[in-house]
Amino acid sequence: MTVLEERAARSVPVAQVVPGLGWPDSPSPVSASLLGWPPAATDLRVAATPSVVPRETRPAQVSRETASQSVTTSPPVRTAAHLAAGALATDTSTPLARSVEHSLLVREGRRLTDSLPRPARTRVMVVANQKGGVGKTTSAVNLAAALAQHGLRVLLLDLDPQGNASTALSIDHHRGTPSTYDALVDGVPLADVVQPHPEIDHLFVVPSTIDLAGAEIELVSMVAREGRLRKAIHAHPQVFGAGPDRFDYVLIDCPPSLGLLTLNALVAADEMLIPIQAEYYALEGLGQLLETVEMVKAHLNPDLVVSTILLTMYDARTRLSAGVADEVRTHFAGQVLRTSIPRSVRISEAPSYGQTVMTYDPGSPGALSYLEAAREMALRGPLEPATAARQGASA
């Protein structure tokens, strides 16, 4: 007796193979999913229950010759080839294509194809957070490079004595180099200490040296010590100007503290960009930072607004990152960028080569994320003080 005869004797139905991926035909017809796999809610053990299904109720087997005829069965099984064909027909700009395009344009030294609008006046933004390791310098240099790659004129001030922003941008910052120390302490015009970036057009840098570490002490005895950086920035002829050589953005990278250097930056800026690591400690420190901002607004700079909050080191695989992101977006819905910066080895490797990730690996997820964050920040425009006050009250 053959196997089929034994099954027929036991009244066990013979599994019929349907076109597609070769799944056996279930005695109780189930709707196939996108690639022909059984739905998740289906209990596969039901298919093994002995029951005889009349041949008349089984799905008709359609041959290649009769495939064009209409058959009253469930929708045909879609394979990966069908999905790919549909995607190509509806989306001609895939993430991979955008990545390759960006890499080629950057390596050829050309401007990116999509231009960003110039702001009506220079946007002076301070990148600050008293907690270290949240991506302040990384965000400052990569956002500056991304904006400059779109043709906008950007001035980056390195106000951190460690000089990490100067290192990432391959700017000389050894002792004796004209730097932010000379502008703050000695009153040297800011235009005399600016250096152009060697590779990225429209990007200019004021480096930081180790001399800046002593500026905190030297500034204590000076008159109007909190406003010295503001005075230097406003005296620059290309800030708040009207000509084509006007700076569109001035980004200030701060040290991880709330000392006199950071205080000078908060007084000098009109907007504040806060990078927040997707961790609980960073979320806890945000409240302390906002208290300091309110004190500065009340006594030194009433025009300062927290216009942008950027989530960094975001790991989509963990619930912690998602929880921190939801918490921040709930309280600061109008200030948090939709784009978050993922954890990326390329972002960490770039400074060791004296580059930003925008030039080190332009097609990497980190570079594309900073590019999108810069685009979102530029298209959003500055946040009005009245709007910021309403959002702060609701938070």
Side-chain angles (χ1 to χ4, degrees):
M1 181 180 294
T2 64
V3 176
L4 295 178
E5 292 174 348
E6 289 183 0
R7 291 187 178 181
R10 296 178 183 177
S11 298
V12 178
V14 180
Q16 300 294 328
V17 178
V18 300
L21 298 181
W23 277 89
D25 184 17
S26 172
S28 58
V30 295
S31 60
S33 63
L34 208 56
L35 292 180
W37 294 81
T42 303
D43 190 353
L44 297 181
R45 292 175 297 178
V46 178
T49 305
S51 60
V52 179
V53 180
R55 184 176 300 274
E56 291 76 15
T57 62
R58 296 179 184 175
Q61 303 298 319
V62 182
S63 63
R64 293 184 179 179
E65 290 75 15
T66 60
S68 59
Q69 300 177 5
S70 60
V71 181
T72 57
T73 59
S74 60
V77 176
R78 298 184 65 190
T79 64
H82 295 113
L83 296 179
L88 291 176
T90 58
D91 184 11
T92 59
S93 178
T94 63
L96 180 59
R98 291 194 296 269
S99 172
V100 173
E101 179 188 12
H102 182 224
S103 298
L104 293 176
L105 290 175
V106 171
R107 298 191 189 285
E108 293 177 3
R110 296 162 57 190
R111 281 185 53 181
L112 301 186
T113 52
D114 51 342
S115 59
L116 295 179
R118 297 189 68 185
R121 67 190 298 266
T122 304
R123 296 179 65 179
V124 182
M125 307 182 68
V126 53
V127 185
N129 194 331
Q130 84 277 10
K131 187 182 184 303
V134 298
K136 290 186 302 298
T137 298
T138 301
S139 298
V141 297
N142 285 293
L143 288 175
L147 292 170
Q149 286 177 351
H150 281 94
L152 300 176
R153 294 176 59 83
V154 183
L155 174 63
L156 176 66
L157 276 71
D158 189 356
L159 208 61
D160 190 348
Q162 300 178 80
N164 292 333
S166 303
T167 301
L169 294 172
S170 191
I171 298 296
D172 187 16
H173 59 101
H174 66 272
R175 187 186 293 271
T177 303
S179 63
T180 50
Y181 172 86
D182 301 280
L184 273 177
V185 179
D186 297 335
V188 176
L190 202 61
D192 296 342
V193 297
V194 173
Q195 298 185 32
H197 191 275
E199 296 181 5
I200 303 177
D201 295 333
H202 311 296
L203 179 56
F204 301 85
V205 185
V206 179
S208 168
T209 63
I210 193 60
D211 296 333
L212 198 59
E216 296 261 11
I217 301 175
E218 297 182 51
L219 287 172
V220 170
S221 59
M222 293 186 177
V223 178
R225 58 193 178 188
E226 302 90 355
R228 295 184 68 86
L229 183 61
R230 181 183 182 90
K231 181 180 179 181
I233 291 176
H234 282 246
H236 197 290
Q238 295 178 350
V239 177
F240 304 117
D245 60 345
R246 181 205 69 184
F247 286 123
D248 299 306
Y249 288 85
V250 176
L251 301 180
I252 309 173
D253 180 38
C254 294
S257 65
L258 293 177
L260 273 175
L261 293 177
T262 302
L263 187 60
N264 263 269
L266 294 176
V267 174
D270 300 322
E271 302 178 53
M272 186 175 185
L273 188 153
I274 305 178
I276 300 179
Q277 183 183 4
E279 299 286 348
Y280 173 73
Y281 286 146
L283 185 62
E284 186 181 41
L286 178 60
Q288 302 172 1
L289 179 62
L290 293 179
E291 290 179 2
T292 303
V293 173
E294 291 301 322
M295 293 178 60
V296 172
K297 291 175 62 177
H299 302 285
L300 298 171
N301 184 10
D303 297 329
L304 180 65
V305 295
V306 179
S307 63
T308 308
I309 296 178
L310 177 64
L311 289 167
T312 61
M313 306 181 196
Y314 183 80
D315 190 348
R317 300 170 299 177
T318 64
R319 293 183 179 179
L320 176 61
S321 294
V324 172
D326 291 341
E327 190 76 15
V328 174
R329 294 184 193 279
T330 300
H331 292 284
F332 307 97
Q335 292 129 297
V336 184
L337 296 180
R338 295 189 304 270
T339 306
S340 57
I341 309 303
R343 286 189 177 273
S344 172
V345 176
R346 291 299 193 184
I347 295 177
S348 302
E349 287 178 351
S352 62
Y353 294 89
Q355 299 183 52
T356 66
V357 73
M358 308 304 298
T359 56
Y360 176 68
D361 191 354
S364 65
L368 296 177
S369 297
Y370 273 116
L371 192 71
E372 184 61 29
R375 180 184 295 110
E376 185 179 349
M377 186 177 69
L379 295 177
R380 173 184 294 187
L383 188 66
E384 297 298 332
T387 306
R390 288 196 301 269
Q391 293 177 353
S394 61

